[in-house]
Amino acid sequence: MPSHLGFGEKIKNEHYPKNKGHKIMKKLILIFLFFVPLIAWSACDDLYNHKLTTLQGENFNLCEHHEKPIIFVNTASKCGFTSQFEGLEKLYSQNKDRLLVVGFPSNDFNQELKTDKEIQDFCKLTYAVEFPMMSKSSVVGKKANPIYKILFERTGEAPMWNFYKFLVAPDAKKINVFPSTVSPESDEFLDTLKPYLNN
């Protein structure tokens, strides 16, 4: 009888380290899955590292696109430059795997519609805009959204009118600024953009 109990205790002791090892491994996996995304997020440049909301009310993560050139453009639905939506959408649709266009509707110059829903409907129905459009916000002065505050800090320039274009190189290594009068389909704009698309 004692020998039988000893055999049982031996089996129990042999299995215990194995079970303990499984528990430790599970904990390590959980820690890895939790912290790796946080590390990636914290490593993202400050320009991208902000919580953004689209016109549809969905979260948008700029950090996922940091390796692409990005065109940031402040938009308005009732502006003389509103037709530039067409050129911006064309660039986006032709290069969406290697280029991001992000629109920031703003009423800073008193030419934007009142609600996100109205802006969304206008962009979709009038210009078939598919590139991401953020919720309406300010892009100049103390009330500027965080993206435009950083763009101003790094370039010394803020939009002087609707459809100012900030062309940000991958990983924000360089920022080129184009005024409203420079079309996204112009040689001046495309000559600056193309080298980033070819990398």
Side-chain angles (χ1 to χ4, degrees), residues 66-112:
H66 71 95
E67 295 181 346
K68 299 178 183 177
I70 301 178
I71 302 169
F72 293 105
V73 55
N74 60 304
T75 66
S77 304
K78 300 183 289 182
C79 176
F81 295 104
T82 301
S83 60
Q84 288 190 13
F85 268 127
E86 188 173 350
L88 291 164
E89 178 57 32
K90 183 178 179 181
L91 277 177
Y92 176 69
S93 62
Q94 292 178 345
N95 304 281
K96 62 175 61 178
D97 291 335
R98 50 185 178 160
L99 171 70
L100 180 66
V101 180
V102 185
F104 285 85
S106 171
N107 196 43
D108 287 326
F109 306 106
N110 302 308
Q111 294 187 318
E112 187 52 285

Side-chain angles (χ1 to χ4, degrees), residues 38-50:
L38 289 180
I39 293 170
W41 179 265
S42 62
C44 181
D45 187 275
D46 288 345
L47 177 61
Y48 311 110
N49 202 357
H50 300 281

Side-chain angles (χ1 to χ4, degrees), residues 117-133:
K117 180 64 166 60
E118 290 176 313
I119 298 169
Q120 178 187 344
D121 290 345
F122 173 84
C123 291
K124 189 73 174 179
L125 298 175
T126 311
Y127 293 101
V129 172
E130 295 291 339
F131 62 80
M133 293 285 293

Side-chain angles (χ1 to χ4, degrees), residues 12-199:
K12 184 177 179 181
N13 290 336
E14 285 178 349
H15 281 272
Y16 177 73
K18 184 177 180 181
N19 292 335
K20 187 176 181 181
H22 282 316
K23 290 180 180 179
I24 293 172
M25 183 61 69
K26 285 181 180 178
K27 287 182 179 179
L28 290 173
I29 291 171
L30 289 173
I31 291 170
F32 179 82
L33 292 174
F34 179 77
F35 281 104
V36 167
L38 289 180
I39 293 170
W41 179 265
S42 62
C44 181
D45 187 275
D46 288 345
L47 177 61
Y48 311 110
N49 202 357
H50 300 281
K51 291 182 179 180
L52 299 177
T53 305
T54 66
L55 289 175
Q56 294 80 15
E58 299 173 352
N59 293 329
F60 189 81
N61 185 0
L62 273 177
C63 283
E64 294 177 356
H65 304 275
H66 71 95
E67 295 181 346
K68 299 178 183 177
I70 301 178
I71 302 169
F72 293 105
V73 55
N74 60 304
T75 66
S77 304
K78 300 183 289 182
C79 176
F81 295 104
T82 301
S83 60
Q84 288 190 13
F85 268 127
E86 188 173 350
L88 291 164
E89 178 57 32
K90 183 178 179 181
L91 277 177
Y92 176 69
S93 62
Q94 292 178 345
N95 304 281
K96 62 175 61 178
D97 291 335
R98 50 185 178 160
L99 171 70
L100 180 66
V101 180
V102 185
F104 285 85
S106 171
N107 196 43
D108 287 326
F109 306 106
N110 302 308
Q111 294 187 318
E112 187 52 285
L113 299 170
K114 288 185 178 181
T115 69
D116 283 358
K117 180 64 166 60
E118 290 176 313
I119 298 169
Q120 178 187 344
D121 290 345
F122 173 84
C123 291
K124 189 73 174 179
L125 298 175
T126 311
Y127 293 101
V129 172
E130 295 291 339
F131 62 80
M133 293 285 293
M134 300 301 111
S135 181
K136 188 169 77 170
S137 64
S138 182
V139 296
V140 296
K142 293 181 179 180
K143 294 183 179 180
N145 67 59
I147 301 296
Y148 275 82
K149 283 183 178 178
I150 293 178
L151 289 173
F152 177 73
E153 290 172 1
R154 297 190 184 183
T155 65
E157 296 192 50
M160 297 182 68
W161 198 247
N162 304 306
F163 289 89
Y164 247 64
K165 290 160 286 291
F166 291 80
L167 173 55
V168 180
D171 290 312
K173 292 179 180 178
K174 186 176 181 180
I175 302 175
N176 297 275
V177 186
F178 297 88
S180 314
T181 51
V182 177
S183 165
E185 298 179 282
S186 68
D187 290 340
E188 181 181 352
F189 189 84
L190 293 176
D191 287 347
T192 306
L193 173 63
K194 285 177 181 176
Y196 300 136
L197 298 178
N198 294 331
N199 287 343

